[in-house]
C-alpha cells in the first residue's frame, strides 16, 4: 500500500485524556483534521482510574479554552469555576462530552504499538522528512491496522508505568513476588472492599509527593474512624524531612495543593503515621504469616507491614516510539530543551517557564510528546501547562508560527505538583482546603496527577 500525500493526512493524537482531547479541539479550531486513538473504551480512561481523587485545581483551571469553544454549541454548561472536581467529575462532566463533540475523530479500543516514518526505520536518512508517519494500531477486537499521519502528538501520559519501590529505580528484590500486597495507586478507601483491605492493618507508604500525602491523609482518617481500631501507617522517605517536604503550605497559590501537604503533616504530627527517613528499599521479604518486611540498602529492616502503597512517580513508555528520532534528556527522559526548565531538583510548578513548540520539538520533525509524557520523570505537571503546550504545537502545525511562539500562560507559584488530592470533602472542596492534582497519573490536575496524575492538576 502506497502512503498518501502528507498534506491530505490527519494529525494523529495518541490518548483521549485532558491534553489529547485539548489538542484535538485546537486542531479542529485551526481547520486541521485530528484523529485521536485511545486505548480505553471511554474518554479519560486513566483519569477514571482515580475517579475518587479530588483535583487541587478548580474547574476554572482544568477546562481548555478551545475545548470550551467546541463544547458550547452542544449545550454544555461550564461547571462552577471555583469548585474542585474529582477525577470522576472531570471525566464525566468534561472529557466525555468533549470527546463526543469531537465525534468519530476519536477511536476507542485502539492501542498504538508503533510509530515510524513510512518506508524508513530510524537509521535511514534519504528523503525521510518528506515521508508521512505510519502508526501501527492494535484494536480491542484483535485487528491490526496501519494508519498514516502528517504529524503525531503523543499525549498518552505516564499512568500505565508507575515507578517501583526499589530505591535504585529498579524493582526491589521480591517486589514482583509480593504483588498481591502492593498497590501503585492511591487506594479508594470509600470502596468497602478496599477499605477492608487497609482497616486495622499496618501499611507502608513509599513516596514523597502529593500522591503520598493523599494516601497518608486518608489512612489517618481511617485510623480515626470509630469503627476501626489498629490502623497504622509508616511513611518511607528516601530523603530526610525538611521545610519543603510538605510543599508550600499556606503560601501556595493553589490553596488546595497547600492544604494537602498540611494534611499529611498532621497525619505525622498526630501519630497516625511514623516517618522513616533516608530509607531506600532494596528488598521486600515475605514472612511466614504473609506480612512483608522492607529491607533497606543500608541494612535496616523495618517492622512487618500488611500492605505497601508505592507512590514513587511515573515514567514514560517510549517503547512504541523506538523507530522515531527523539531528543530526550538522559536523566528526565523529557525533550532536551524542556528538561532544564522542569528539573525537580530546581523547580516547582510555579517556577516552570511556560513553554511550547520550540521546547517540545525533536530531531524528528512533526512528532511531539505533550502533557505529562513530555515531562518524562519530572513530577511537576499541571493541566494548564499541557493546554498551553498543545495550543502552541497545533498553531505551528497550522502554519501560524507567531501564535506558536507566543506565551499565553501564567502559572501559580510555590508548592510541589504532580499528585493526587484528598477525597471528596464537600466543605473543603468549596473552600479550597482539600484537593488534589490530576495523573495518571495522573494526572493523574493528573495532576495527572492523579497521583503524580495521567495528566496535571
Amino acid at each position: 500500500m502506497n502512503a498518501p500525500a502528507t498534506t491530505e493526512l490527519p494529525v494523529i493524537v495518541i490518548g483521549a485524556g485532558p491534553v489529547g482531547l485539548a489538542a484535538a479541539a485546537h486542531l479542529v479550531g485551526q481547520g486541521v483534521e485530528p484523529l485521536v486513538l485511545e486505548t480505553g473504551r471511554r474518554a479519560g480512561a486513566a483519569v477514571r482510574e482515580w475517579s475518587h481523587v479530588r483535583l487541587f485545581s478548580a474547574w476554572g483551571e482544568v477546562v481548555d479554552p478551545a475545548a470550551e469553544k467546541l463544547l458550547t454549541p452542544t449545550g454544555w454548561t461550564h461547571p462552577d469555576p471555583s469548585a474542585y472536581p474529582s477525577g470522576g467529575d472531570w471525566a464525566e462532566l468534561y472529557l466525555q462530552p468533549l470527546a463526543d463533540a469531537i465525534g468519530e475523530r476519536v477511536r476507542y479500543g485502539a492501542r498504538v504499538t508503533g510509530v515510524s516514518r513510512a518506508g524508513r526505520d530510524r537509521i535511514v536518512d534519504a528523503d525521510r522528512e518528506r515521508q508521512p508517519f505510519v502508526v501501527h494500531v492494535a484494536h480491542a477486537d484483535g485487528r491490526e491496522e496501519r494508519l498514516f499521519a502528517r504529524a503525531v502528538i503523543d499525549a498518552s501520559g505516564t499512568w500505565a508505568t508507575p515507578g517501583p519501590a526499589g530505591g535504585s529505580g529498579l524493582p526491589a528484590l521480591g517486589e514482583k513476588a509480593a504483588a498481591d500486597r502492593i498497590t501503585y495507586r492511591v487506594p479508594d478507601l470509600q470502596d468497602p472492599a478496599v477499605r477492608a483491605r487497609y482497616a486495622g492493618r499496618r501499611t507502608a507508604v513509599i513516596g514523597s509527593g502529593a500522591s503520598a500525602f493523599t494516601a497518608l491523609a486518608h489512612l489517618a482518617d481511617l485510623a480515626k474512624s470509630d469503627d476501626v481500631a489498629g490502623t497504622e501507617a509508616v511513611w518511607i522517605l528516601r530523603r530526610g524531612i525538611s521545610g519543603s517536604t510538605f510543599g508550600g503550605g499556606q503560601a501556595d497559590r493553589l490553596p488546595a495543593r497547600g492544604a494537602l501537604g498540611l494534611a499529611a503533616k498532621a497525619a505525622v504530627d498526630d501519630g497516625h503515621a511514623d516517618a522513616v527517613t533516608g530509607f531506600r528499599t532494596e528488598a521486600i521479604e515475605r514472612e511466614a504469616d504473609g506480612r512483608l518486611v522492607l529491607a533497606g540498602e543500608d541494612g535496616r529492616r523495618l517492622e512487618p507491614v500488611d500492605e505497601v502503597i508505592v507512590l514513587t512517580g511515573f515514567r514514560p513508555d517510549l517503547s512504541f516510539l523506538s523507530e522515531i528520532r527523539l531528543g530526550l534528556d538522559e536523566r528526565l527522559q523529557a525533550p532536551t530543551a524542556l528538561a532544564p526548565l522542569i528539573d525537580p531538583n530546581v523547580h516547582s510548578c510555579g517556577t516552570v517557564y511556560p513553554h511550547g513548540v520550540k521546547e517540545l520539538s525533536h530531531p524528528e520533525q512533526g512528532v511531539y510528546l505533550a502533557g505529562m509524557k513530555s515531562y518524562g520523570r519530572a513530577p511537576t505537571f499541571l493541566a494548564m501547562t499541557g493546554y498551553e503546550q498543545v495550543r502552541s504545537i497545533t498553531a505551528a502545525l497550522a502554519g501560524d508560527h507567531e501564535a506558536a511562539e507566543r506565551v499565553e500562560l501564567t502559572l501559580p507559584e510555590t508548592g510541589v505538583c504532580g499528585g493526587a488530592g484528598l477525597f471528596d470533602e464537600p466543605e473543603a472542596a468549596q473552600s479550597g482546603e482539600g484537593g488534589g492534582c490530576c495523573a495518571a497519573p495522573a494526572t493523574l490536575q493528573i495532576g495527572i496527577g492523579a497521583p503524580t496524575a495521567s495528566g496535571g492538576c
Side-chain angles (χ1 to χ4, degrees), residues 1-75:
M1 176 180 177
N2 293 325
T6 302
T7 55
E8 301 173 359
L9 297 172
V11 173
I12 286 184
V13 179
I14 305 175
V19 176
L21 291 174
H26 280 274
L27 289 167
V28 170
Q30 294 279 5
V32 178
E33 189 67 14
L35 176 59
V36 182
L37 303 176
E38 167 58 46
T39 301
R41 293 186 292 178
R42 294 184 292 172
V47 174
R48 294 176 189 276
E49 293 193 28
W50 49 272
S51 61
H52 57 290
V53 173
R54 184 171 294 283
L55 280 64
F56 57 54
S57 293
W59 271 115
E61 298 160 326
V62 298
V63 172
D64 176 75
E68 183 174 3
K69 185 176 180 179
L70 195 62
L71 280 166
T72 299
T74 70

Side-chain angles (χ1 to χ4, degrees), residues 44-116:
V47 174
R48 294 176 189 276
E49 293 193 28
W50 49 272
S51 61
H52 57 290
V53 173
R54 184 171 294 283
L55 280 64
F56 57 54
S57 293
W59 271 115
E61 298 160 326
V62 298
V63 172
D64 176 75
E68 183 174 3
K69 185 176 180 179
L70 195 62
L71 280 166
T72 299
T74 70
W76 179 81
T77 302
H78 195 306
D80 179 358
S82 65
Y84 292 80
S86 65
D89 295 334
W90 205 19
E92 286 298 324
L93 302 180
Y94 170 63
L95 299 179
Q96 193 61 59
L98 177 55
D100 293 343
I102 296 169
E104 294 183 356
R105 300 180 179 101
V106 181
R107 298 184 186 178
Y108 301 105
R111 180 171 59 87
V112 173
T113 59
V115 179
S116 187

Side-chain angles (χ1 to χ4, degrees), residues 3-6 9 116-118 128 130-134 148-150:
T6 302
L9 297 172
S116 187
R117 290 280 189 178
R128 184 179 188 88
R130 297 182 61 183
Q131 304 305 312
F133 291 96
V134 59
F148 295 98
R150 58 182 284 191

